[in-house]
Amino acid sequence: MALALVLSGCSWSDSDGTSSSSQSPKPSPTPTEFEQTFAGDVSGEDAVVSATTDRTGPSLTADNVGVSFEATDLADPRLDPAQSNLDEQLKSLGSPALRFGGNALDRRTFWTSKGEKAKHGEKVTITPDDLKRLKKLVDITGSSVTIGIPLGTYDPGRGADMAAHAVDILGDSLVGLAIGNEPNGYTVKDVPSGAVRGKGWNKDKYVKQLEAYAKAIHAKRPDAPIIGPDVYDGAWMEAFASSGVKHKKAISQHWYQLYECDSAQVPGRGPQAANLIDPLAKKAAKKNLGIGKSKADAADLPLWLEETGPTSCPGTNDTSLTNASALWAADYTLYAATLGVERMAMHSMLGACNGGAPMSLICDPADHGDRSNAFQVRPNMLGLRLLVPSLGGEFTKTSVSGGGNMSAYTVVKDDGKTLVTTVINANDAASVGGNPVSLSVPSEFSVSSASQVFGESNDVKSATQVVPANPLTDDVPFSGDGAGASASAGASPSGGSSSPQATGGMGDDGKLRIDLAGSSMTVFVMSKRE
């Protein structure tokens, strides 16, 4: 019998426990079969996942998986593919949408194409050379880009000059120009330490300044695409949509899953890791993204979620480092796409892993005051990486029965030749070990490979692990009811509370029976038989 080489998991951790591994670890020896690690006996509730080829409409495109950066990051020389591994990390997400904006846009960013000094105390100067460096990055990653134009200091001429250079340099890669970032939060009341307007500021004054900027931009580049208003508030979305701005490309919304920074309620919307994967999270997402979708639909424009993340609350690195954030990032991205969000960018920055932006997908592991050229990833990015096999697919009808805190999504792609089903098992591995799952697939399809991210619990920090894509064995662990109907010839079913037994596999009834580890996300790629 040939020796079967397997991988039980590639760890995500580093020496100080505050950040992540640089890239997906390469196991040795290279695995040839998919195998999981279980944190304990499989005692979770049985689940039945039914995947079909019945299309439901929305698709998952490369733009649904994206990264938002602060505008000041445009000046970072490490955007150049020759200066860091940022391009490699981004390419691991496919061809991700890129966005440059954030609070730094209106408060710390100064644009010049003439070598001027910053005029109002802005900390970072952006020039055409910075956009040329960005062009190198997007050429390698195949990404589309949206760029914010500073509105904090009112200067339509300067804004139009930046926009014209962005259009000329980025070409077809540029899909939207956002005039200002969160203009509904410009006053002292909204941002005490970052006010850029007086207390009389309102959406009507915003529209007048927005229209002045757009007019100046279109005088230079008539077809420049404008997006906005980059806010959460639906009334401001209506103001943007009804403005006289030409060439509106999309309604852009901002929203963070855990926004009640002072709350400790679980379940709730406070910045606790458990709130990321509680079913209430989907209800909140449906309600709040529904606001943007309704305004976009009324304006006959697509909805782009230009800035989002687990939480914008300060001091939440612990939440962002948990395995729950990996499960949430994937589930939230897929769910938002099914709701009709056509572009999404998780907010990040090229800052330090230790003490930097807690929500960032990537970070710099160097000590404070230093910089490295080898960015590392956090658990949420590991979750997003497993969405790559689903890119380009159209969602199909998929259901989950039983299983507790579990969800599933399926897409069909490659002219109907490939199905990809993603199962998120958010039941805590520390409590249940795993869940027996019966995956029902159309009769003409067979599972060709599986991959997974998982942790020993939902709360474990800096320890999310990866099982790379590999074929399933003929017999896979299964401790639920119905093992006798599988194609394997192992022992009889043992119920739902014992350690996994190799009694599962693909049955003659078209069901794959497999135990799935708790605190995991598993991707099954299925191919249509010739």
Side-chain angles (χ1 to χ4, degrees):
M1 179 181 297
L3 178 64
L5 304 176
V6 298
L7 174 72
S8 60
C10 306
S11 182
W12 176 96
S13 63
D14 63 32
S15 57
D16 65 8
T18 59
S19 62
S20 62
S21 63
S22 59
Q23 298 184 52
S24 294
K26 295 181 179 179
S28 180
T30 303
T32 59
E33 295 176 354
F34 175 84
E35 184 170 307
Q36 304 170 75
T37 293
F38 294 85
D41 289 350
V42 174
S43 60
E45 178 186 347
D46 284 46
V48 175
V49 177
S50 298
T52 75
T53 56
D54 300 334
R55 301 170 193 248
T56 57
S59 299
L60 187 73
T61 71
D63 284 346
N64 284 111
V65 180
V67 189
S68 166
F69 293 103
E70 291 291 322
T72 47
D73 285 332
L74 285 168
D76 195 314
R78 294 173 297 177
L79 290 182
D80 188 332
Q83 299 300 317
S84 76
N85 69 339
L86 179 62
D87 60 319
E88 297 171 5
Q89 299 288 27
L90 293 176
K91 283 192 294 184
S92 72
L93 298 177
S95 298
L98 300 180
R99 176 256 185 177
F100 292 85
N103 282 331
L105 176 70
D106 294 312
R107 296 167 177 85
R108 298 190 293 277
T109 304
F110 178 75
W111 164 266
T112 180
S113 61
K114 302 175 182 178
E116 304 153 285
K117 299 295 184 182
K119 298 184 178 299
H120 299 278
E122 298 93 341
K123 301 298 184 182
V124 178
T125 297
I126 307 299
T127 72
D129 285 342
D130 297 316
L131 297 180
K132 292 175 182 176
R133 181 170 53 240
L134 174 61
K135 182 63 163 63
K136 294 180 182 179
L137 180 65
V138 300
D139 281 349
I140 284 182
T141 61
S143 299
S144 60
V145 184
T146 57
I147 295 282
I149 305 297
L151 181 62
T153 297
Y154 182 73
D155 192 341
R158 189 174 300 279
D161 184 61
M162 181 178 181
H165 279 84
V167 169
D168 294 347
I169 293 169
L170 295 172
D172 292 340
S173 299
L174 180 70
V175 296
L177 296 166
I179 299 169
N181 175 80
E182 299 182 358
N184 61 333
Y186 275 5
T187 67
V188 172
K189 178 182 178 181
D190 299 312
V191 188
S193 61
V196 293
R197 294 290 189 277
K199 64 180 181 179
W201 177 251
N202 57 37
K203 62 180 182 295
D204 294 329
K205 292 182 178 180
Y206 158 69
V207 167
K208 289 181 180 179
Q209 296 190 4
L210 167 73
E211 291 175 342
Y213 266 69
K215 183 177 180 181
I217 290 170
H218 289 139
K220 287 180 172 290
R221 299 296 181 270
D223 297 326
I226 308 297
I227 64 173
D230 272 30
V231 301
Y232 165 72
D233 193 309
W236 287 68
M237 297 180 201
E238 291 178 347
F240 172 84
S242 61
S243 71
V245 171
K246 297 179 180 178
H247 299 298
K248 300 184 189 77
K249 186 68 177 289
I251 293 292
S252 56
Q253 183 178 9
H254 292 183
W255 187 66
Y256 288 89
Q257 183 75 65
L258 306 181
Y259 48 82
E260 296 180 359
C261 298
D262 296 328
S263 174
Q265 182 178 345
V266 178
R269 303 273 47 85
Q272 291 76 37
N275 286 334
L276 286 172
I277 44 85
D278 189 273
L280 180 64
K282 278 198 178 69
K283 294 181 180 179
K286 185 175 183 179
K287 175 184 176 181
N288 291 287
L289 299 184
I291 294 172
K293 188 64 168 67
S294 66
K295 305 305 181 185
D297 287 347
D300 196 24
L301 292 169
L303 176 62
W304 291 359
L305 197 54
E306 284 284 282
E307 183 179 315
T308 191
T311 173
S312 58
C313 300
T316 51
N317 258 311
D318 281 352
T319 295
S320 297
L321 294 177
T322 61
N323 186 61
S325 72
L327 308 184
W328 168 83
D331 201 349
Y332 174 57
T333 298
L334 290 166
Y335 187 61
T338 67
L339 295 176
V341 173
E342 296 186 21
R343 182 182 176 92
M344 176 185 280
M346 297 278 186
H347 198 48
S348 304
M349 60 182 64
L350 302 179
C353 295
N354 187 9
M359 60 196 141
S360 187
L361 296 172
I362 60 173
C363 57
D364 182 350
D367 292 335
H368 286 297
D370 296 328
R371 281 188 171 188
S372 74
N373 61 2
F375 290 101
Q376 297 180 348
V377 304
R378 283 179 161 149
N380 44 5
M381 188 158 176
L382 293 179
L384 291 181
R385 283 178 175 178
L386 254 67
L387 300 184
V388 173
S390 297
L391 297 180
E394 187 175 346
F395 286 101
T396 67
K397 185 177 180 180
T398 302
S399 63
V400 180
S401 175
N405 192 2
M406 191 176 293
S407 55
Y409 306 84
T410 301
V411 299
V412 60
K413 54 189 293 186
D414 301 334
D415 296 323
K417 297 178 181 178
T418 303
L419 284 181
V420 183
T421 294
T422 300
V423 181
I424 295 103
N425 185 0
N427 295 293
D428 198 338
S431 299
V432 303
N435 294 72
V437 175
S438 297
L439 173 60
S440 177
V441 302
S443 59
E444 65 270 30
F445 286 86
S446 59
V447 178
S448 55
S449 69
S451 55
Q452 187 182 81
V453 295
F454 74 101
E456 293 183 357
S457 70
N458 289 335
D459 293 335
V460 67
K461 299 179 182 69
S462 301
T464 297
Q465 301 182 67
V466 178
V467 178
N470 272 292
L472 295 175
T473 59
D474 290 337
D475 294 345
V476 293
F478 183 68
S479 54
D481 294 334
S486 70
S488 61
S492 60
S494 56
S497 60
S498 66
S499 299
Q501 302 293 321
T503 57
M506 198 72 193
D508 296 335
D509 57 358
K511 291 183 179 180
L512 169 67
R513 292 173 173 82
I514 184 171
D515 286 334
L516 290 184
S519 305
S520 74
M521 165 190 172
T522 309
V523 176
F524 298 97
V525 177
M526 294 164 276
S527 302
K528 194 172 186 178
R529 298 187 186 91
E530 295 294 337

